[in-house]
Amino acid sequence: MLTPEAALDRAVQLVENAKKAGADAADAVYLCDASTEVQVRLGVLEDVVRSEGEDIGLRVFLGQRSATISSSSMNPDVLAGLVERALDMAREAPEDQFAGLAPQDMLLKGTPPAIDSDDDQDPDPHSLREAALACEDAARAVVGVTNSEGAGASAGRSIFALATSHGFAGVSHASGYGLSASVLAGEGDDKQRDYDWRSARHRADLDSAEAIGRRAGERAVRRLNPGSVKSGAMPVIFDPRIGSSLVSHLIGAIGGSNIARKTSFLLESLGEALFDSAISIIDDPLRVRGLGSRAFDGEGLPTARSAIIEKGVLTGWLLESAAARQLGLKPTGHASRGGSGAPGTSPANVHLEGGTLSVAELIADIDYGVYVHELSGQGVNGVTGDYSRGAGGFLIEKGEITTPVAEFTIASNLKDMYRALTAANDLEFVRSTNVPTLRVDGMMVASA
């Protein structure tokens, strides 16, 4: 694996070659990752996988014409051919009045903020196997667990380098660790599956293998003997591990390309109070050791903490440069970039700020409702906001979570759901998108 400095040199050199070959402007991204993953099942090692890969992508501009090309080969002859092919493609491309690099005066200058995303460790497969075994053992030790789908532990490193022809050159590197278990509870036809997992930038920040495994086992056992739910309008409680999807639908709807194309259910909602005034949704790309942290975006712009929703109000769109030009606005530092294709948009570390009620207080006045811990299906329309998904979870009766229920559907419209949303105070930062337990009143629930 290259050093970060060598990775950046590779991107810079490709841009210089493109300029020498006649490009009016260019940028290049270099991506490299290496990871080891160990899988165990029923106490036996099943698989050890080591993967390493690198890609480089070049975007060139000839006036308002542009083209993007990528390669996984770093052979100098291949890279030289990459430049020529990119320029040939650009000559045949249609003109795009919005094409171009990010505004030069907005580029990150000086030393990037420290986000501590790399712990500089490289665990050996033996230590990963021991972690996976401990995780599965803890899950299988839960009374009622009868089988295992396995446990896994992974460790990896990644590098992202970006260079542009108008003055930006930056590189970031990160480590990443994961630990998970999935088990079955019950016998015969009444078997239930559940899981738990955690990921972190620093290995020291992972929950213990025993805690992750125990939660997986307890969740599977708790789902045994599911019943059915009555159909009707009722409050729905979203477990934090699936409640984050409600925020993800919001993020997708305010992405610059969807707004520019007029394909978003939030198209006319800028400045509108979408949520109760107690709700704020924050993107914090500079969170130390955050899973999505980054000091600069995919176009070389600085990143900063921002409120996507501030006291219920939608404050703006997530914009890369092309969409920003089309909308007559400025890019927001949310550009994302892979090895191929033009930049898209994505946030970094998003969280919905927690409320003041405990989970018990959040559900105390619910006479009949459902607590959802699993969603299935893709029934969300990003243009209209209509929402309909399969679900599993538990009944809430007279303010208490009671028996498991399965195979039901929850439905509404996302704008109605956002207006009716209330948050508990149990926010934890364990994912790239984090929410506390959420309550949405008035959803339609139908038993399958």
Side-chain angles (χ1 to χ4, degrees), residues 375-380 388-391:
L375 292 170
S376 61
Q378 303 296 323
V380 182
S388 178
R389 299 195 65 181

Side-chain angles (χ1 to χ4, degrees), residues 280-352:
S280 291
I281 298 176
I282 308 298
D283 181 30
D284 186 4
L286 301 180
R287 181 185 303 142
V288 172
R289 301 187 183 184
L291 288 172
S293 296
R294 58 193 185 199
F296 57 90
D297 77 349
E299 294 183 306
L301 301 187
T303 61
R305 191 178 192 272
S306 61
I308 296 169
I309 298 292
E310 186 170 16
K311 296 182 179 179
V313 175
L314 176 61
T315 62
W317 314 126
L318 307 184
L319 300 173
E320 33 71 37
S321 293
R325 292 187 186 101
Q326 190 169 350
L327 296 169
L329 300 170
K330 292 184 177 182
T332 59
H334 290 96
S336 59
R337 187 79 183 273
S340 60
T345 57
S346 71
N349 302 302
V350 177
H351 71 274
L352 187 151

Side-chain angles (χ1 to χ4, degrees), residues 49-110:
V49 177
R50 175 70 178 180
S51 63
E52 297 185 15
E54 57 181 351
D55 291 280
I56 197 161
L58 173 68
R59 185 170 56 146
V60 299
F61 296 88
L62 294 173
Q64 296 303 118
R65 304 175 190 271
S66 66
T68 304
I69 193 168
S70 64
S71 174
S72 58
S73 173
M74 301 299 135
N75 183 293
D77 293 335
V78 172
L79 295 181
L82 201 71
V83 171
E84 292 303 324
R85 288 197 301 274
L87 290 170
D88 288 343
M89 291 166 59
R91 292 184 185 100
E92 300 302 321
E95 290 196 354
D96 180 356
Q97 62 178 315
F98 306 115
L101 300 177
Q104 187 172 17
D105 61 352
M106 295 183 66
L107 295 174
L108 174 66
K109 300 174 180 65

Side-chain angles (χ1 to χ4, degrees), residues 262-296:
K262 302 185 185 302
T263 57
S264 168
F265 73 96
L266 295 179
L267 186 62
E268 306 297 331
S269 299
L270 187 61
E272 180 181 324
L274 297 180
F275 296 80
D276 182 88
S277 61
I279 300 296
S280 291
I281 298 176
I282 308 298
D283 181 30
D284 186 4
L286 301 180
R287 181 185 303 142
V288 172
R289 301 187 183 184
L291 288 172
S293 296
R294 58 193 185 199
F296 57 90

Side-chain angles (χ1 to χ4, degrees), residues 2-295:
L2 292 180
T3 65
E5 294 76 16
L8 183 56
D9 287 344
R10 187 160 285 178
V12 168
Q13 186 62 56
L14 191 59
V15 169
E16 290 177 353
N17 291 347
K19 286 287 288 180
K20 290 176 183 177
D24 295 324
D27 64 4
V29 291
Y30 172 86
L31 304 99
C32 178
D33 61 77
S35 64
T36 302
E37 183 173 357
V38 174
Q39 293 287 334
V40 302
R41 182 174 180 270
L42 299 176
V44 176
L45 178 66
E46 276 204 328
D47 204 7
V48 180
V49 177
R50 175 70 178 180
S51 63
E52 297 185 15
E54 57 181 351
D55 291 280
I56 197 161
L58 173 68
R59 185 170 56 146
V60 299
F61 296 88
L62 294 173
Q64 296 303 118
R65 304 175 190 271
S66 66
T68 304
I69 193 168
S70 64
S71 174
S72 58
S73 173
M74 301 299 135
N75 183 293
D77 293 335
V78 172
L79 295 181
L82 201 71
V83 171
E84 292 303 324
R85 288 197 301 274
L87 290 170
D88 288 343
M89 291 166 59
R91 292 184 185 100
E92 300 302 321
E95 290 196 354
D96 180 356
Q97 62 178 315
F98 306 115
L101 300 177
Q104 187 172 17
D105 61 352
M106 295 183 66
L107 295 174
L108 174 66
K109 300 174 180 65
T111 303
I115 52 179
D116 195 19
S117 290
D118 195 338
D119 67 1
D120 202 30
Q121 293 188 41
D122 188 16
D124 59 57
H126 176 75
S127 68
L128 296 177
R129 184 186 68 179
E130 292 303 306
L133 288 170
C135 190
E136 188 189 41
D137 287 347
R140 294 174 64 199
V142 174
V143 175
V145 171
T146 54
N147 206 342
S148 171
E149 292 186 332
S154 63
R157 306 284 297 281
S158 63
I159 296 174
F160 174 84
L162 170 67
T164 75
S165 60
H166 66 342
F168 179 81
V171 61
S172 62
H173 51 98
S175 51
Y177 302 90
L179 191 56
S180 64
S182 177
V183 292
L184 300 170
E187 301 283 355
D189 293 334
D190 183 29
K191 285 185 178 179
Q192 297 294 327
R193 168 193 173 275
D194 217 317
Y195 64 93
D196 195 39
W197 61 272
R198 285 294 185 270
S199 58
R201 288 298 179 199
H202 283 230
R203 195 178 191 189
D205 294 339
L206 278 178
D207 281 7
S208 71
E210 292 76 14
I212 294 170
R214 184 174 60 253
R215 287 195 297 263
E218 290 171 349
R219 284 171 170 165
V221 170
R222 196 178 176 201
R223 296 179 66 171
L224 288 171
N225 302 310
S228 59
V229 62
K230 298 176 184 177
S231 297
M234 64 188 70
V236 173
I237 304 295
F238 289 83
D239 185 274
R241 71 175 179 175
I242 55 96
S244 59
S245 65
L246 300 184
V247 174
S248 297
H249 297 316
L250 171 76
I251 297 301
I254 63 174
S257 61
N258 286 328
I259 299 302
R261 295 169 185 164
K262 302 185 185 302
T263 57
S264 168
F265 73 96
L266 295 179
L267 186 62
E268 306 297 331
S269 299
L270 187 61
E272 180 181 324
L274 297 180
F275 296 80
D276 182 88
S277 61
I279 300 296
S280 291
I281 298 176
I282 308 298
D283 181 30
D284 186 4
L286 301 180
R287 181 185 303 142
V288 172
R289 301 187 183 184
L291 288 172
S293 296
R294 58 193 185 199

